Amino acid sequence: MIDLEKFLSRRGRAMHASAIRQVGDIGLAHADLISLAPGFPDPQLFAWDEFRAIADRLLSGSDGSILQYGATRGYQPLLDALPEILSHRGIRATNTEVIITTGSQQALDLCARVLTDPGDVVFVELPAYTGAMTAFGNARAQLVGVRQDEQGIDIADLDRLLVGKRADGRRAAIVYVVPNFQNPTGLLMNGSRRSELLAWALRRDVLIVEDDPYGALYFTDLTSRDETRPIKSQDNEGRVLYLSSFSKTVAPGFRVAWIAGPQPLIARLEVAKQSADLCSGTLDQRFVYEVWTSGALEAGLPRLRTAYQTKRSVMEQALRAELGNAATWVPPKGGFFLWATLPGIDTKALFGRALQHKVIYVPGSPFYVDHGGHDRIRLAFSAASPDQIRNGIRRLADALREEREATDPGRAEGARDGRHSAEETPASTADQ
Ligand SMILES: Cc1ncc(COP(=O)(O)O)c(C=O)c1O
C-alpha cells in the first residue's frame, strides 16, 4: 500500500472540507428526507422557458465562440453590462474594474490567494459563511471572529481585535462581511453600521471584502431596496472588493459571479484566475448575459422576492406552532435562511436524531471560528416547498422532544407543554 499522505503538501494536508457540503451530501444519500440544510434556490423558480429559448439560440451551431475558450477576465459583453447592474445598487464601476468568476466561491478563493499569506489575519463575523472560512482557512490565513449583534458587525470589538493583532506584529488588513441577509444568520446590517465600518476601514487602513449574493432578494414586508445598498456604494477610494453572483437570481448551475474593485487588484485577481481555470464557462456566461439582456432577470426578481418571503413566513408559522418557545430567532428580512436558537440543545447532537426523523439542517457551530454556537441551527427555507417546510419542522420538533427526553426528562415535559399550547403562544415569544 503506498503512503499517499507523504505526497501532500502542508497546505493540502491542512485543508478542511466545507461543513455545509458534507451535510448536503447526506441529503442526497437518503430518499424521503426533507432537507432544510443547503442554501439552494428553488428550481421551480428558475426561468425554464427563457432558458430553453436561449439554449436553442445559443446552440444552433452558427457561432463556434459559444463553446470556445474565452478571456480570463470574462465574456466582454457581460463585463460591459456589469457597470449598469452595479449602478442599480448605487455602485459606480467601469468595465475595467470588474472580473467574472466561477461562482462567488471562486471569488473568495482568489481573494484568499491574492490578499493573504499564511498566518495573516482575516476578520470574519461570528458566525460567518463557512465557504469563506474554508477559502481563507485553506490559504492558511488566521481567521479571527468578531462579535455581531442584530445591526451587524461590532466595530468596537473589531477595532480591539485589530489593535491586539497588530501589536503582536501580525499582518491584519482584511475584513470579510456579508451585510445583506447574511449566511447563516439572515441578518441585514443597518445603514449606520455600514458607514461606520467603511469609516473604520479608512482610519485603520483595512480592505473590506463585501460578499453580496442575496441583496436582490429582500422581503418587502420587512425592508426595502434602499436598506440593501452595499457598502461599496459609499466607497470613493477603493477600500472595498465587492463580490456578487447570479447563483441566487438566475441559477447556481451556471456558476457565474463577479468581483468589482479597484483596477490594480482586479488585475492581480485575473492573474490568479488564469491558473485556476483559464476562464469561467463560456456557455454559462453567454446564458447569463442573454437572461440579463432579455430583461428576464430584472423582471423575475419580484416573483423571487415574493416566493421566498412566503416560504420564510411558512417556516416561521411552523416553528411557532411546533416548537412554541423552544426556539427564538430574528425574523429574516431577505435571503434564504432562518437562524434559530434552541436554548439548552446541542444542535450537533440533535442532528443524528433529526436524521432518523428524516429531516436535516446545518448545526450552528461550523459557522463559528471560535467553535461557539452549539445551540444554534440554520434552517434554509429556500428550496423546500411550503408542505415540505411544514413537515420538516414537525419532524424537527419530534426529534427535539426525543432529544429532550433523552438528555433531560424534566425539561422535556416543558417542551411538550410548549407544543400543546402552541395555539396560544404569542408570536412575540418566538419573534424576538
Ligand atoms: C455568502 C455566500 N457567499 C458566496 C456563496 C457562493 O455562491 P456562488 O454560487 O456564487 O459560488 C454563497 C453560497 O451559498 C454564499 O451564501
Side-chain angles (χ1 to χ4, degrees):
M1 191 77 114
I2 314 173
D3 168 19
L4 296 170
E5 279 286 309
K6 72 168 183 279
F7 296 116
L8 294 177
S9 64
R10 271 199 292 277
R11 194 174 270 208
R13 226 170 277 148
M15 280 182 178
H16 289 293
S18 150
I20 301 182
R21 296 256 103 197
Q22 285 168 333
V23 174
D25 291 346
I26 295 173
L28 296 176
H30 289 71
D32 188 22
L33 182 95
I34 297 178
S35 178
L36 304 174
F40 288 2
D42 183 345
Q44 302 212 29
L45 297 171
F46 294 159
W48 290 107
D49 291 343
E50 198 68 40
F51 293 169
R52 258 190 303 276
I54 293 171
D56 266 358
R57 276 203 305 280
L58 291 182
L59 297 175
S60 68
S62 60
D63 179 356
S65 71
I66 283 166
L67 292 177
Q68 198 51 278
Y69 290 111
T72 302
R73 186 70 74 102
Y75 175 53
Q76 194 58 46
L78 185 56
L79 290 168
D80 294 341
L82 283 173
E84 189 180 334
I85 294 173
L86 287 162
S87 76
H88 290 307
R89 305 177 187 190
I91 297 170
R92 288 171 317 271
T94 66
N95 63 359
T96 62
E97 293 169 318
V98 287
I99 181 169
I100 306 284
T101 57
T102 303
S104 281
Q105 194 56 45
Q106 183 186 51
L108 290 167
D109 195 61
L110 297 178
C111 287
R113 287 200 282 131
V114 166
L115 302 174
T116 62
D117 286 318
D120 285 355
V121 170
V122 174
F123 297 101
V124 298
E125 292 152 313
L126 285 172
Y129 170 53
T130 55
M133 285 158 59
T134 45
F136 286 110
N138 287 342
R140 303 181 69 198
Q142 188 200 5
L143 293 164
V144 173
V146 184
R147 281 199 300 263
Q148 65 174 328
D149 58 30
E150 254 182 64
Q151 316 309 328
I153 196 162
D154 180 334
I155 311 285
D157 196 39
L158 181 56
D159 196 52
R160 182 183 62 81
L161 291 163
L162 177 102
V163 170
K165 289 293 170 191
R166 287 187 174 168
D168 290 346
R170 305 298 287 273
R171 190 162 168 264
I174 310 286
V175 57
Y176 167 77
V177 285
V178 183
N180 287 329
F181 321 121
Q182 194 221 23
N183 182 356
T185 60
L187 287 175
L188 177 66
M189 190 186 290
N190 77 8
S192 54
R193 198 64 67 87
R194 291 175 195 230
S195 310
E196 276 173 53
L197 179 61
L198 183 59
W200 173 86
L202 305 188
R203 204 166 60 246
R204 292 296 193 188
D205 198 14
V206 167
L207 191 78
I208 299 173
V209 177
E210 178 180 26
D211 188 7
D212 185 19
Y214 303 103
L217 301 177
Y218 52 86
F219 300 154
T220 50
D221 62 345
L222 293 181
T223 189
S224 64
R225 198 173 75 147
D226 279 357
E227 290 192 282
T228 66
R229 254 177 117 83
I231 298 170
K232 179 76 181 158
S233 68
Q234 303 174 45
D235 175 27
N236 296 321
E237 65 160 45
R239 278 280 148 193
V240 183
L241 275 177
Y242 176 79
L243 281 47
S244 192
S245 173
F246 295 103
S247 283
K248 317 295 180 180
T249 52
V250 181
F254 291 119
R255 311 303 303 128
V256 182
W258 76 92
I259 310 175
Q263 215 282 327
L265 287 185
I266 295 292
R268 284 277 123 200
L269 292 162
E270 181 179 358
V271 174
K273 184 173 160 64
Q274 285 170 358
S275 70
D277 64 359
L278 299 180
C279 64
S280 295
T282 311
L283 180 63
D284 288 358
Q285 295 180 72
R286 296 289 294 257
F287 237 104
V288 166
Y289 176 69
E290 293 289 326
V291 176
W292 185 73
T293 37
S294 71
L297 200 170
E298 215 40 49
L301 289 176
R303 189 169 77 104
L304 298 187
R305 288 179 196 124
T306 308
Y308 291 124
Q309 177 178 310
T310 302
K311 291 190 195 207
R312 184 273 333 257
S313 300
V314 168
M315 183 173 273
E316 291 194 302
Q317 279 155 16
L319 282 167
R320 280 197 285 269
E322 298 292 335
L323 275 80
N325 50 17
T328 60
W329 65 92
V330 176
K333 296 179 181 172
F336 283 3
F337 306 110
L338 188 145
W339 177 248
T341 304
L342 306 181
I345 291 291
D346 180 340
T347 57
K348 247 187 176 163
L350 178 68
F351 186 85
R353 213 177 279 283
L355 188 57
Q356 283 164 11
H357 285 269
K358 297 193 185 300
V359 62
I360 55 168
Y361 56 82
V362 186
S365 56
F367 297 99
Y368 286 81
V369 295
D370 65 358
H371 309 295
H374 293 284
D375 59 356
R376 308 296 156 96
I377 176 172
R378 193 193 78 175
L379 298 165
F381 49 78
S382 49
S385 68
D387 273 349
Q388 286 172 324
I389 293 174
R390 284 186 207 98
N391 289 335
I393 298 299
R394 201 167 300 133
R395 293 177 188 186
L396 179 66
D398 290 341
L400 187 60
R401 260 189 304 282
E402 263 182 37
E403 180 71 9
R404 283 238 156 88
E405 269 156 17
T407 55
D408 187 354
R411 283 193 62 171
E413 283 305 310
R416 196 179 290 125
D417 290 350
R419 186 194 182 188
H420 288 159
S421 64
E423 295 294 317
E424 306 105 63
T425 304
S428 56
T429 23
D431 268 353
Q432 292 149 27

